Amino acid sequence: MSPKHLTKGSKLPPPVRGKIRLYSNRFCAYAQRVHLVLDAKKIPYDVVYINLSNIPDWFYEKSPLGKVPALEVESGDVIYESLIIADYLEDIWTTHPLYPRDALQKAKDRILIDQFNKIISAMFKLVLSTNRGYIDDYRSVIVEGMASFENELKKREGPFFSGHKPGMLDYMIWPWCERADLLKLFGSHFLLKTDRYKKLMEWRILMRDDPAVKKSYIDSATHIKYVQSYRAGVPDYDIVIHV
Amino acid sequence: MSPKHLTKGSKLPPPVRGKIRLYSNRFCAYAQRVHLVLDAKKIPYDVVYINLSNIPDWFYEKSPLGKVPALEVESGDVIYESLIIADYLEDIWTTHPLYPRDALQKAKDRILIDQFNKIISAMFKLVLSTNRGYIDDYRSVIVEGMASFENELKKREGPFFSGHKPGMLDYMIWPWCERADLLKLFGSHFLLKTDRYKKLMEWRILMRDDPAVKKSYIDSATHIKYVQSYRAGVPDYDIVIHV
């Protein structure tokens, strides 16, 4: 398992017997979702990191659109889309279940995961945006969206959304919460006010200590450096190795 | 169960004992997905049709964004998002399973359901569009998207995507396939060429005879009349009663 991101011209690493393989990228939040599920469930897996700005030709045979995350199972079949992979792993790996047992609660958690897409989309546009005019709109979506998650967490027993330990909902929203300090890039007044998100701030500290989270965790300073390289048109996926 | 769509000023119909309730609209393809699952699984349910251009105040207490489909279960909880509702029904109603038993095949079918979103989005934009310039682009997305579903169906045993009877994938894409003749609105050259989609055409005929499909089926002429009313700014949701 090489931590370096593979580029065009690289060789496809041979399969590792007895392990499923995740095609990933260190800075792809969607790919991180799958790492979290694999690590939380303690599933042995092999990782191949893909350089998304210089995709190896062989990768299109695995993932036709060249997208990560892509999961290659032992039969050689490859599936993609982070939530579909997460649900697949939940289906086949029934030890360490991550969804609530109750079907109604599971549906409610999936609705929240779906609603979190608005925050993801606003964060993505914010990071890409060069037009100051829209920036405040994107920030509002994030501020209001996170407020509704704060309220949701207040209503629950906690300390995690899923109870005494993180579950699917916690892990599916975590990658973007890990990146919350990216808002600093737009000025310190952009940061979310901690007193408005008390429960979420406590949750974030606890999440950071979760063994599965620790495995793929990248600190804010590195996320910011990466996004700066991305915005400059030269994304440095190997920044974790370079620092 | 009134077939008329309820408007502002109407009264919320009392719950029906022993039945879950679906808030729906006769012309909402997403709502139709849930009808199909309920009918395929033979789950007894009560329907309340909502007039989406004049939404009753009480409906926002059920579905905060005023969106259908919304499913009210016996506890009074309401869930929304067609695919989340469909998966919930699959979880609690294990007779007549609609997903493949094999987790990998299930994941593959869910990827196809996800990819069908491109076709849905193009159809929606086409129906709303007044700018001829974009119309050909939307049509290309539909033509190419359906071609990939044609190829997929060829690879499978059939005659349905899910085998000898329709399953989740068949039902989740059906509502838009039922509406395929809407393309006529943009000129007869817009219709999909039947010789390019032989398998899908056979599939469509068989689907039309499926007992669950029959229950919510609306013919092409009526779909076209409804879309004309919608494009004219006066959507006639009760057109089925009016004709």
Side-chain angles (χ1 to χ4, degrees):
Chain A
M1 189 200 308
S2 159
K4 211 168 170 328
H5 291 74
L6 300 182
T7 58
K8 214 182 268 289
S10 66
K11 272 196 181 153
L12 172 64
V16 178
R17 192 188 287 259
K19 283 189 181 174
I20 51 180
R21 169 176 283 178
L22 176 62
Y23 295 96
S24 181
N25 179 291
R26 288 290 273 142
F27 289 97
C28 172
Y30 292 105
Q32 193 182 354
R33 277 181 165 173
V34 180
H35 283 277
L36 291 167
V37 173
L38 288 162
D39 290 327
K41 287 179 170 287
K42 300 183 176 139
I43 302 174
Y45 67 106
D46 165 48
V47 189
V48 172
Y49 291 106
I50 302 293
N51 184 315
L52 296 172
S53 45
N54 188 11
I55 297 175
D57 294 331
W58 47 257
F59 186 54
Y60 291 101
E61 279 165 45
K62 304 293 181 183
S63 174
L65 299 174
K67 290 204 302 187
V68 298
L71 187 81
E72 186 168 8
V73 299
E74 283 191 75
S75 60
D77 287 286
V78 179
I79 56 173
Y80 19 82
E81 294 300 330
S82 62
L83 296 178
I84 294 174
I85 298 174
D87 284 4
Y88 166 76
L89 292 170
E90 179 80 351
D91 275 349
I92 55 155
W93 219 273
T94 49
T95 48
H96 304 284
L98 296 177
Y99 273 122
R101 271 196 200 176
D102 176 61
L104 180 63
Q105 192 56 49
K106 177 182 171 187
K108 286 182 179 177
D109 283 6
R110 293 182 75 197
I111 292 169
L112 288 168
I113 293 168
D114 185 73
Q115 288 175 346
F116 195 78
N117 283 336
K118 278 188 207 158
I119 297 175
I120 296 176
S121 163
M123 272 187 83
F124 187 70
K125 285 178 191 157
L126 192 58
V127 161
L128 285 182
S129 183
T130 47
N131 183 336
R132 293 292 309 181
Y134 290 114
I135 284 180
D136 287 323
D137 294 344
Y138 300 144
R139 185 176 184 271
S140 298
V141 172
I142 296 168
V143 165
E144 282 158 33
M146 291 312 290
S148 79
F149 274 82
E150 170 75 12
N151 287 336
E152 183 65 35
L153 196 48
K154 269 187 200 154
K155 279 190 245 159
R156 298 187 176 211
E157 279 186 28
F160 299 101
F161 284 96
S162 307
H164 66 282
K165 60 180 188 171
M168 199 60 94
L169 174 53
D170 297 276
Y171 289 127
M172 293 303 101
I173 67 173
W174 172 255
W176 292 270
C177 299
E178 181 180 299
R179 288 156 176 79
D181 289 345
L182 283 179
L183 296 176
K184 260 187 205 159
L185 273 172
F186 305 94
S188 58
H189 67 288
F190 254 85
L191 281 174
L192 300 179
K193 293 207 175 63
T194 51
D195 56 341
R196 206 176 152 184
Y197 305 98
K198 274 194 174 158
K199 282 277 170 196
L200 279 173
M201 294 298 158
E202 290 166 24
W203 170 82
R204 207 172 158 216
I205 291 165
L206 290 171
M207 282 295 283
R208 236 181 266 179
D209 273 338
D210 176 71
V213 167
K214 276 184 180 168
K215 291 216 168 182
S216 55
Y217 183 78
I218 290 176
D219 62 66
S220 293
T222 309
H223 275 302
I224 288 173
K225 268 189 209 156
Y226 162 72
V227 165
Q228 282 168 332
S229 74
Y230 181 85
R231 280 166 66 101
V234 282
D236 184 0
Y237 302 114
D238 293 320
I239 202 166
V240 181
I241 308 167
H242 293 164
V243 285
Chain B
M1 189 201 307
S2 159
K4 212 170 170 324
H5 291 74
L6 299 183
T7 58
K8 214 181 267 286
S10 66
K11 271 195 183 154
L12 171 64
V16 177
R17 191 189 288 261
K19 283 188 180 173
I20 51 181
R21 169 177 283 179
L22 176 63
Y23 294 96
S24 180
N25 179 290
R26 288 290 272 144
F27 289 96
C28 172
Y30 292 104
Q32 192 182 355
R33 278 180 164 174
V34 181
H35 283 277
L36 291 166
V37 172
L38 288 162
D39 289 328
K41 286 179 169 287
K42 300 184 177 140
I43 302 174
Y45 67 107
D46 165 49
V47 189
V48 172
Y49 289 107
I50 303 293
N51 185 315
L52 296 172
S53 46
N54 188 13
I55 296 174
D57 294 329
W58 47 258
F59 186 53
Y60 291 101
E61 280 165 44
K62 304 293 181 183
S63 176
L65 299 174
K67 290 204 301 187
V68 298
L71 187 79
E72 186 168 9
V73 299
E74 283 192 73
S75 61
D77 286 286
V78 179
I79 56 173
Y80 22 82
E81 294 300 331
S82 62
L83 296 177
I84 295 174
I85 298 173
D87 284 2
Y88 166 76
L89 292 170
E90 180 79 351
D91 275 348
I92 55 156
W93 219 271
T94 49
T95 49
H96 303 284
L98 295 177
Y99 274 120
R101 271 196 202 177
D102 176 61
L104 180 64
Q105 191 55 50
K106 178 181 170 186
K108 287 182 178 177
D109 283 7
R110 292 182 76 197
I111 292 169
L112 288 168
I113 293 169
D114 185 71
Q115 288 176 345
F116 195 78
N117 283 336
K118 277 189 207 158
I119 298 175
I120 295 176
S121 164
M123 271 188 82
F124 187 70
K125 286 179 192 156
L126 191 58
V127 161
L128 285 182
S129 182
T130 48
N131 184 336
R132 293 295 305 184
Y134 290 114
I135 283 179
D136 286 324
D137 294 344
Y138 301 144
R139 185 176 184 270
S140 299
V141 173
I142 297 169
V143 165
E144 282 158 33
M146 291 313 291
S148 79
F149 275 81
E150 172 74 11
N151 286 337
E152 183 65 35
L153 195 49
K154 268 187 200 153
K155 280 190 246 160
R156 298 187 176 211
E157 281 188 26
F160 300 101
F161 284 96
S162 306
H164 67 282
K165 60 180 188 171
M168 199 60 94
L169 173 54
D170 298 276
Y171 289 128
M172 293 304 100
I173 68 173
W174 172 254
W176 293 270
C177 299
E178 180 180 299
R179 287 158 177 78
D181 289 345
L182 283 178
L183 296 176
K184 260 187 206 162
L185 274 172
F186 305 93
S188 58
H189 67 287
F190 253 85
L191 281 173
L192 300 178
K193 292 206 175 65
T194 52
D195 56 342
R196 205 176 153 185
Y197 305 99
K198 273 193 175 158
K199 282 278 171 194
L200 279 174
M201 293 297 158
E202 290 165 25
W203 169 83
R204 204 170 161 219
I205 290 165
L206 291 171
M207 282 295 281
R208 234 180 266 179
D209 273 338
D210 176 71
V213 167
K214 276 185 180 169
K215 289 215 170 183
S216 55
Y217 183 77
I218 290 175
D219 61 66
S220 292
T222 309
H223 275 302
I224 289 173
K225 269 188 207 155
Y226 161 74
V227 166
Q228 284 169 329
S229 73
Y230 181 87
R231 280 167 66 100
V234 282
D236 185 0
Y237 301 114
D238 294 319
I239 202 166
V240 182
I241 307 167
H242 293 164
V243 285

